Amino acid sequence: MQHSSALTTALHHRSIRKFKDQAIPDELFNQLIEAGKMASTSSFLQSVSIIRVTDLHKRQQIREICGSAGGKGQMYVQESPEFLVFCVDTHRHQQLVPEAQTDWTEILLIGAVDVGIMAQNILLSAESEGLGGVYIGSLRNDIAQVTDILALPTGVIPLVGLCLGYPDQEPLQRPRLPTSLILSENAYQVATQTDLAIYNEQVKAYYLERNGKVFNWTEQVRNTLAKPVRPDILAFLHKQGFAKR
Amino acid sequence: MQHSSALTTALHHRSIRKFKDQAIPDELFNQLIEAGKMASTSSFLQSVSIIRVTDLHKRQQIREICGSAGGKGQMYVQESPEFLVFCVDTHRHQQLVPEAQTDWTEILLIGAVDVGIMAQNILLSAESEGLGGVYIGSLRNDIAQVTDILALPTGVIPLVGLCLGYPDQEPLQRPRLPTSLILSENAYQVATQTDLAIYNEQVKAYYLERNGKVFNWTEQVRNTLAKPVRPDILAFLHKQGFAKR
């Protein structure tokens, strides 16, 4: 799987949460950052900054935010060879152009999409070189504290983390929604209950094989969304100067 | 450049805005969609849907929204072999779990990052197979009208477009902010005015070479941000059921 094409790499993606005790060579790490930098950027605004977290105490603090309270969840945040935090950054724009109106919601959308594009450039490039990784959205469990830990100024928010390293596991690929449900032509096609039920059966079969758990996609959606979902985010965004209007 | 590795592909990225009159073979197109589907998805929510726009009248309508008023800008939206619109989609979650609280701002962030990740999987995979493309954020110039054109229901928003095809141009790579400005270790490093000034000179040299224009990054930031930036977005998001709290 060394140096595989982007297409082949993407088709074989699995999130990796267990890594060998082997550092990523500096040269490769630097190339991955270059790959991220060359990503498309909306309106050439370059609204993304990356914090590379090497300080083990900070890693532990962030892992505690990511994992369930009191538990040992997401130890890979603490132990992966590399942990990057991708931030939406309007601080530079403010430095250069103090009258920049970075508090429009549009700027948050630009930044969030640019983060996804840049981060995926890095992850896919890493995977094509034999590395693996997993995104860490759970740093938004306490996004304000992560902001403090990384000393982010106003105009910068930590959006998603990425663990990288050499894989020490070979997980199964989790079945995705069928193409007929995510791809429409010219006009949105609403999913039928039959299609969704068939997909639920596929997810159930996957979890039964993986860990004997009886679990389907509807339950995943309910567990995640039938409750307040990180309700502090909007107030935090406003405090950092985002999405105020 | 056929079948190049993800890393090599990413390092050589240029946005392509001029395409040969040559269709993407069905088999390759389908593989690109599969590559997109296999992308990481936050909390396994699979919050992205794609609308493939093949209807030439709809293409023209969207191009008119993207281009400057009355002008012929962004003709590639109309003429590229493929044009995909990536949407944040919570409609399926509502179908399955009517009590799902998809109006938290967190859900918008999840969706926007997932859009960027999936779209970049497709673009980078396409580039590794000899295709090229360009993102189209300007459909958000009138995001409500694009929503009507694509018949998106409540809970779905069009976030970014992607033109794809065989390149008929070889543009230069635009210089990016230096790594020292976008990558910090453990704590955010504020850019120095000297670093920003050096970068401005690089951008100026690039535009002089490309088209004889005298233009630097500060001017790009000012032109984009020193005015209301798509001020209708927040009200539109609320109307579609996003970011209300």
Side-chain angles (χ1 to χ4, degrees):
Chain A
M1 167 92 190
Q2 293 269 326
H3 307 295
S4 62
S5 81
L7 177 58
T8 304
T9 306
L11 290 171
H12 288 85
H13 167 75
R14 296 146 177 82
S15 292
I16 296 296
R17 295 177 171 83
K18 193 164 184 291
F19 301 98
K20 291 181 183 156
D21 185 18
Q22 179 183 351
I24 300 173
D26 286 348
E27 192 190 356
L28 177 55
F29 180 83
N30 293 338
Q31 283 187 306
L32 295 177
I33 297 296
E34 286 303 308
K37 279 174 54 182
M38 292 318 299
S40 297
T41 160
S42 182
S43 297
F44 197 33
L45 284 178
Q46 306 183 82
S47 314
V48 186
S49 285
I50 304 172
I51 315 289
R52 178 188 195 180
V53 188
T54 56
D55 180 308
L56 293 183
H57 179 61
K58 291 188 179 201
R59 287 274 205 117
Q60 184 186 339
Q61 288 179 296
I62 296 173
R63 194 268 300 160
E64 287 170 2
I65 290 166
C66 296
S68 46
K72 280 283 183 187
Q74 308 222 356
M75 280 304 289
Y76 34 95
V77 171
Q78 194 169 328
E79 296 173 350
S80 59
E82 292 289 345
F83 180 61
L84 305 177
V85 177
F86 292 85
C87 305
V88 181
D89 189 344
T90 62
H91 193 80
R92 283 187 290 266
H93 308 124
Q94 294 284 350
Q95 278 182 277
L96 288 172
V97 181
E99 67 272 30
Q101 300 184 22
T102 55
D103 58 346
W104 292 100
T105 300
E106 166 69 5
I107 304 301
L108 178 68
L109 296 183
I110 285 177
V113 173
D114 274 13
V115 159
I117 291 172
M118 182 190 282
Q120 187 60 8
N121 246 17
I122 291 178
L123 177 56
L124 207 59
S125 296
E127 289 175 346
S128 81
E129 303 298 311
L131 297 166
V134 61
Y135 286 111
I136 307 295
S138 55
L139 57 77
R140 297 192 302 273
N141 287 345
D142 192 342
I143 192 168
Q145 201 187 331
V146 173
T147 300
D148 286 345
I149 293 168
L150 302 178
L152 306 181
T154 308
V156 185
I157 52 168
L159 201 52
V160 69
L162 178 63
C163 296
L164 288 174
Y166 290 94
D168 197 22
Q169 64 178 174
E170 280 196 52
L172 298 172
Q173 264 190 322
R174 199 155 49 171
R176 300 305 204 265
L177 284 166
T179 301
S180 61
L181 291 193
I182 68 133
L183 179 68
S184 305
E185 193 165 340
N186 295 316
Y188 187 88
Q189 297 297 316
V190 174
T192 68
Q193 292 293 341
T194 307
D195 284 341
L196 290 167
I198 292 170
Y199 178 62
N200 260 336
E201 288 305 309
Q202 291 171 354
V203 172
K204 199 166 132 186
Y206 162 79
Y207 278 110
L208 270 175
E209 182 179 345
R210 194 177 81 164
N211 55 20
K213 201 164 58 163
V214 177
F215 195 68
N216 64 27
W217 196 55
T218 300
E219 289 170 273
Q220 170 70 17
V221 171
R222 182 175 293 114
N223 288 351
T224 310
L225 298 181
K227 62 182 183 190
V229 193
R230 295 184 182 132
D232 300 332
I233 293 287
L234 186 57
F236 168 79
L237 290 174
H238 290 168
K239 182 171 160 285
Q240 288 299 96
F242 285 90
K244 291 162 100 165
R245 51 180 174 171
Chain B
M1 178 68 203
Q2 295 269 327
H3 307 294
S4 62
S5 80
L7 177 59
T8 303
T9 307
L11 290 171
H12 287 85
H13 167 73
R14 296 146 177 80
S15 292
I16 297 297
R17 295 177 173 83
K18 194 164 183 289
F19 300 98
K20 290 181 183 157
D21 184 18
Q22 180 183 351
I24 300 173
D26 286 348
E27 192 191 357
L28 177 55
F29 180 83
N30 294 337
Q31 283 187 305
L32 296 177
I33 298 296
E34 286 304 307
K37 278 172 57 182
M38 292 319 299
S40 296
T41 161
S42 181
S43 297
F44 196 34
L45 284 177
Q46 306 184 80
S47 314
V48 186
S49 286
I50 304 173
I51 315 289
R52 178 188 194 181
V53 189
T54 57
D55 179 309
L56 292 184
H57 179 60
K58 291 189 178 198
R59 286 275 205 116
Q60 184 186 339
Q61 288 180 296
I62 296 173
R63 194 268 300 159
E64 286 169 4
I65 289 166
C66 296
S68 45
K72 281 282 182 186
Q74 309 221 353
M75 280 305 289
Y76 35 94
V77 171
Q78 195 169 328
E79 296 172 349
S80 59
E82 292 289 346
F83 180 61
L84 306 176
V85 177
F86 292 85
C87 304
V88 180
D89 190 342
T90 62
H91 193 78
R92 282 187 291 266
H93 307 122
Q94 294 285 349
Q95 278 182 275
L96 289 171
V97 181
E99 67 271 30
Q101 300 185 23
T102 56
D103 59 344
W104 292 102
T105 301
E106 165 68 5
I107 304 301
L108 177 68
L109 296 184
I110 284 177
V113 173
D114 273 14
V115 159
I117 290 172
M118 181 189 282
Q120 186 61 8
N121 246 16
I122 292 179
L123 177 56
L124 206 59
S125 295
E127 289 176 346
S128 82
E129 302 298 311
L131 297 165
V134 60
Y135 286 110
I136 307 295
S138 54
L139 55 79
R140 296 192 303 271
N141 287 345
D142 191 343
I143 193 168
Q145 202 187 330
V146 173
T147 300
D148 287 344
I149 293 167
L150 302 178
L152 305 181
T154 309
V156 185
I157 54 168
L159 200 52
V160 69
L162 178 63
C163 296
L164 288 175
Y166 290 95
D168 197 23
Q169 64 177 174
E170 281 196 48
L172 298 170
Q173 264 189 323
R174 199 155 50 171
R176 299 304 204 269
L177 284 165
T179 302
S180 60
L181 291 194
I182 68 133
L183 179 68
S184 304
E185 193 165 342
N186 294 316
Y188 187 89
Q189 296 297 317
V190 175
T192 68
Q193 292 294 343
T194 307
D195 284 339
L196 290 167
I198 291 170
Y199 178 62
N200 260 336
E201 288 304 309
Q202 291 171 352
V203 172
K204 199 165 134 186
Y206 162 80
Y207 278 111
L208 270 175
E209 182 178 345
R210 193 177 83 163
N211 55 21
K213 201 164 61 164
V214 177
F215 195 67
N216 65 28
W217 195 56
T218 301
E219 289 171 273
Q220 170 69 17
V221 171
R222 182 176 292 114
N223 288 352
T224 309
L225 297 181
K227 62 183 182 191
V229 193
R230 297 187 180 129
D232 300 332
I233 294 287
L234 186 57
F236 167 79
L237 290 174
H238 290 170
K239 181 172 160 287
Q240 289 299 97
F242 284 90
K244 290 161 101 165
R245 51 182 172 170

